[in-house]
Amino acid sequence: METILAVEHLRRDYGRRGSVTRAVDDVSFTVAKGEFVGVMGASGSGKSTLLNCVATIDTPTAGHIRVEGRDVTAMKARELTRFRRERLGFVFQDCNLLDTLTAFENIALALTIRKTPPGEIEGRVRETAELLGLADCLNQYPYQLSGGQRQRTAAARAIITDPALVLADEPTGALDSKSAKLLLDRFEVLNRQRAATILMVTHDAFTASYCHRILFLQDGAIFSQLERGSRSRRDFFREIIGVVTALGGDQSDVL
């Protein structure tokens, strides 16, 4: 199976000589096309730093990150900006929607920036919105949308350009349980119907149970990993809870 993401001996240090904090410590893993991979760990474990490095928001101290075989750690600023725009999609806890644009316009923005012919934009936006359950609210502004609708609009914007990799950082963190489940169900649809490759950071075992595989970080390094395989999401959830407990975490979420 085609490898979309390869992280090789990644390290990220902060601070100066004599007072250095190693946030990510010699992390290596791969993500295949169509995989839905979660990253979990306690606060300060390095999971968000890892995602920021993959997202090219942060610069690694050492190691390599390859997306579709291209080493993003070796790219110059202009090339990196273009690569980020064209091959990566982002869904963060803060939706970052533009308040002056409708949901339709927010989703279409990525296509407009890429100079997609106007005749193609409407069809692509409506198709993606349908997939995410947004067909009835495309003419509404962000302040008129629920938290879940805003987050699904952000997800639509992230995948509208068919990126190689979708990066999600605590996408359910600001949502109530019903909205979170709706978003995660849509992520499953994207993964299944669009073969979207997703790397998601989360602290929540319920959210993580939607993934195919979970990487657990501790002190910046990979502590262990779990694969869902043919197990039910309920059984996978219970196994995730076991690892979280071993890591010293506290999860009270239930299915």
Side-chain angles (χ1 to χ4, degrees), residues 5-213:
L5 171 67
V7 175
E8 303 165 357
H9 303 290
L10 191 71
R11 196 178 89 231
R12 181 60 171 107
D13 297 340
Y14 293 103
R16 298 179 178 180
R17 185 176 298 178
S19 181
V20 174
T21 299
R22 183 154 295 173
V24 176
D25 187 8
D26 195 28
V27 167
S28 297
F29 66 94
T30 60
V31 177
K33 183 175 177 60
E35 266 200 294
F36 187 175
V37 177
V39 180
M40 296 191 75
S43 178
S45 63
K47 57 187 186 295
S48 288
T49 300
L50 171 63
L51 193 77
N52 286 341
C53 287
V54 174
T56 72
I57 295 169
D58 203 350
T59 303
T61 303
H64 297 274
I65 299 168
R66 304 181 197 278
V67 179
E68 294 183 306
R70 298 179 63 185
D71 189 348
V72 300
T73 55
M75 290 181 182
K76 301 297 184 184
R78 183 175 295 182
E79 182 185 10
L80 193 58
T81 297
R82 181 176 178 180
F83 183 84
R84 185 188 301 125
R85 183 177 66 236
E86 295 184 353
R87 303 309 299 145
L88 300 178
F90 303 94
V91 184
F92 296 117
Q93 185 171 332
D94 184 349
C95 304
N96 292 322
L97 299 178
L98 296 177
D99 293 335
T100 56
L101 301 181
T102 64
F104 182 100
E105 291 164 341
N106 267 286
I107 297 168
L109 187 60
L111 295 176
T112 303
I113 291 171
R114 292 184 63 177
K115 296 181 169 54
T116 301
E120 295 180 18
I121 291 177
E122 181 164 358
R124 289 178 65 175
V125 170
R126 294 197 180 278
E127 179 188 1
T128 303
E130 186 72 36
L131 203 61
L132 282 155
L134 294 166
D136 295 333
C137 55
L138 284 175
N139 293 326
Q140 296 179 355
Y141 290 89
Y143 73 89
Q144 297 173 308
L145 303 174
S146 68
Q149 288 171 329
R150 287 195 296 271
Q151 196 63 297
R152 281 182 279 137
T153 300
R157 181 183 59 189
I159 63 99
I160 189 73
T161 58
D162 293 321
L165 181 64
V166 176
L167 302 167
D169 191 1
E170 301 283 5
T172 63
L175 302 179
D176 59 56
S177 58
K178 181 179 179 181
S179 297
K181 188 176 187 306
L182 281 170
L183 177 67
L184 293 166
D185 287 342
R186 294 297 94 188
F187 271 24
E188 277 195 327
V189 170
L190 291 176
N191 178 249
R192 184 173 61 250
Q193 294 189 17
R194 285 274 186 94
T197 306
I198 305 171
L199 181 67
M200 177 176 69
V201 162
T202 181
H203 70 281
D204 178 54
F206 175 79
T207 299
S209 70
Y210 279 77
C211 298
H212 301 158
R213 179 163 55 106

Side-chain angles (χ1 to χ4, degrees), residues 229-247:
S230 60
R231 293 193 298 280
S232 69
R233 190 164 58 79
R234 183 179 293 273
D235 288 343
F236 194 39
F237 171 83
R238 290 172 178 153
E239 195 165 355
I240 293 167
I241 289 290
V243 178
V244 169
T245 302
L247 283 166

